[in-house]
Amino acid sequence: MIILRYALFPFAILYDMVTFIRNFLYDKGILKSYSFGIPIIAVGNLNVGGTGKTPQIEYLIRLLSPNYKLATLSRGYKRTSKGFILADDNSNAEILGDEPYQFYKKFPQIQVAVDIDRKNGIEQLLNQKNKPDIILLDDAFQHRRVKAGFYILLTAYDDLFCNDYLLPTGNLRESKSGAKRADLIIVTKCPPTLSELAKNDIKAKIGGDQTLFFFKIIYDDMVYSVGKSILVKELAHVDKLLLAGIAKPEPFFAYLQSENDMILTFPDHHHFSENEILEIKNKSNNKPIITTEKDFVRLKDSILKEQLFYLPIKSSFVSGGDDFDKTILDYVGTSTRNR
């Protein structure tokens, strides 16, 4: 696989030319970007998948929703619907996509919308009677047609964008120089004991003038079903099936796995067919099935629901949390006053 990727290097050069020209046209105003009169925060990455966008969006929701009317706008990856959709009681993971549906179920106080055309999605949200004060754009770093007021770039500790190559040789969606558009950069999935020396080394590798923040993933100490919860430590000696359809499931498995557990992996954002669900049911042999929160929203109404649990995760700071919160709140407050 690695040899094949390097063999495709000429295509990476072509891909670089295409993305460079596109960004150049937007930078020079030849292709038009649209701005809006409310605070818009775009969260995204340069790498394909696995940087922890969902817990980061959830962090911002927890930070902002107590004091502002908040909306999230996602493309709704792999959803079955088309166009603009505003989540309501009739929505599900197939209509919205798994991550937006997770936001909708987890944070009933906010509005959740999907639209592959982010400009149209923002306009639709702002045309509502109960329009939001702030919009969070999920996975929109490369969506240049909308000019957000604040850009947050994510890169994973064990897969820094500065060490990667462009598609198809590597996993970069655009050149590393695209990081210059970010207002700040977050290194996600850091070890909890990340040293100052290691932080400085990462800062030197990434370069640039942006402030870097370092986040870690915190796993809950309980797993949850629709009406039940179990302490993770109580599952240590229970045979179970661990199931994940996410980009980088290894930490999830490592946190839960015991000696006799069965592990099943599926592609990121996987839509489970009836045959696959039946196969999972047969393999589980009525043992508990522990999955990710993102997979749970796709499986919770299936025949697995009586034995299905999910493990929540949160994004938290290694250090410097107050500075990050102040940066975001200052941007939002200033933008709101200047509207």
Side-chain angles (χ1 to χ4, degrees):
M1 181 65 177
I2 295 176
I3 294 174
L4 176 60
R5 283 206 161 199
Y6 280 108
L8 294 172
F9 187 73
F11 293 97
I13 296 174
L14 178 62
Y15 183 81
D16 187 23
M17 292 173 59
V18 171
T19 55
F20 173 82
I21 292 170
R22 177 179 181 270
N23 282 325
F24 176 82
L25 294 175
Y26 274 111
D27 291 339
K28 297 301 180 182
I30 299 169
L31 292 178
K32 184 173 176 56
S33 295
Y34 295 85
S35 300
F36 296 87
I38 68 166
I40 296 178
I41 301 174
V43 179
N45 51 24
L46 296 184
N47 308 68
V48 175
T51 57
K53 290 187 299 294
T54 301
Q56 197 59 52
I57 291 286
E58 291 185 357
Y59 183 95
L60 293 171
I61 293 171
R62 292 187 182 96
L63 175 65
L64 296 169
S65 63
N67 297 309
Y68 297 96
K69 291 187 292 184
L70 190 66
T72 64
L73 177 61
S74 311
R75 64 178 291 191
Y77 185 61
K78 287 194 174 181
R79 64 187 170 115
T80 57
S81 60
K82 301 292 184 183
F84 175 82
I85 303 287
L86 183 64
D88 59 24
D89 290 342
N90 296 316
S91 299
N92 55 37
E94 285 69 37
I95 291 173
L96 295 178
D98 49 18
E99 290 164 349
Y101 186 58
Q102 180 177 318
F103 299 151
Y104 174 69
K105 298 299 289 184
K106 202 168 183 177
F107 302 101
Q109 74 275 25
I110 73 168
Q111 294 176 305
V112 176
V114 293
D115 196 335
I116 194 169
D117 182 346
R118 309 301 170 88
K119 175 180 176 289
N120 180 69
I122 293 170
E123 290 170 344
Q124 294 288 339
L125 284 168
L126 296 181
N127 283 333
Q128 296 182 98
K129 183 177 180 180
N130 185 31
K131 63 182 181 182
D133 299 320
I134 305 168
I135 296 175
L136 302 180
L137 295 183
D138 177 23
D139 196 15
F141 198 79
Q142 284 78 35
H143 199 91
R144 300 294 307 274
R145 190 161 178 252
V146 168
K147 183 172 177 57
F150 198 91
Y151 286 89
I152 298 176
L153 177 65
L154 308 182
T155 186
Y157 168 80
D158 61 352
D159 190 19
L160 298 173
F161 72 82
C162 56
N163 297 331
D164 208 343
Y165 299 93
L166 279 162
L167 290 165
T169 299
N171 291 313
L172 292 183
R173 298 172 171 181
E174 62 173 302
S175 168
K176 301 167 190 178
S177 63
K180 295 176 182 177
R181 297 198 305 275
D183 291 283
L184 61 83
I185 297 174
I186 296 176
V187 182
T188 62
K189 303 182 179 181
C190 294
T193 57
L194 188 66
S195 68
E196 289 302 316
L197 183 63
K199 291 178 187 176
N200 290 332
D201 182 52
I202 292 171
K203 289 176 183 177
K205 288 179 179 178
I206 290 177
D209 299 325
Q210 298 99 331
T211 302
L212 264 64
F213 292 94
F214 298 87
F215 274 74
K216 60 186 176 182
I217 291 295
I218 297 177
Y219 289 101
D220 205 302
D221 58 1
M222 302 190 78
V223 297
Y224 301 85
S225 66
V226 173
K228 186 179 178 182
S229 59
I230 303 174
L231 283 166
V232 170
K233 64 182 180 182
E234 292 180 2
L235 293 168
H237 304 292
V238 174
D239 292 348
K240 52 193 176 291
L241 187 151
L242 305 179
L243 183 154
I246 57 176
K248 296 178 181 178
E250 293 81 9
F252 167 79
F253 292 137
Y255 183 74
L256 292 169
Q257 188 175 5
S258 300
E259 184 177 357
N260 295 321
D261 292 345
M262 178 180 290
I263 288 179
L264 292 178
T265 59
F266 292 87
D268 196 14
H269 300 282
H270 184 68
H271 280 295
F272 296 91
S273 68
E274 291 185 9
N275 287 338
E276 286 172 332
I277 292 172
L278 184 59
E279 183 179 359
I280 293 167
K281 177 73 173 176
N282 292 335
K283 287 183 176 180
S284 73
N285 197 24
N286 293 321
K287 293 180 289 192
I289 300 171
I290 317 297
T291 191
T292 69
E293 197 166 5
K294 190 163 71 172
D295 293 305
F296 182 81
V297 298
R298 295 194 297 269
L299 293 169
K300 65 183 181 66
D301 296 320
S302 71
I303 58 173
L304 306 175
K305 61 184 178 182
E306 298 299 326
Q307 61 194 110
L308 188 68
F309 295 80
Y310 68 91
L311 175 70
I313 63 173
K314 286 185 180 180
S315 192
S316 180
F317 289 95
V318 175
S319 62
D322 291 343
D323 291 338
F324 177 85
D325 291 357
K326 184 177 185 303
T327 300
I328 299 300
L329 293 172
D330 283 352
Y331 159 69
V332 168
T334 302
S335 296
T336 303
R337 287 192 298 271
N338 291 341
R339 282 168 61 176

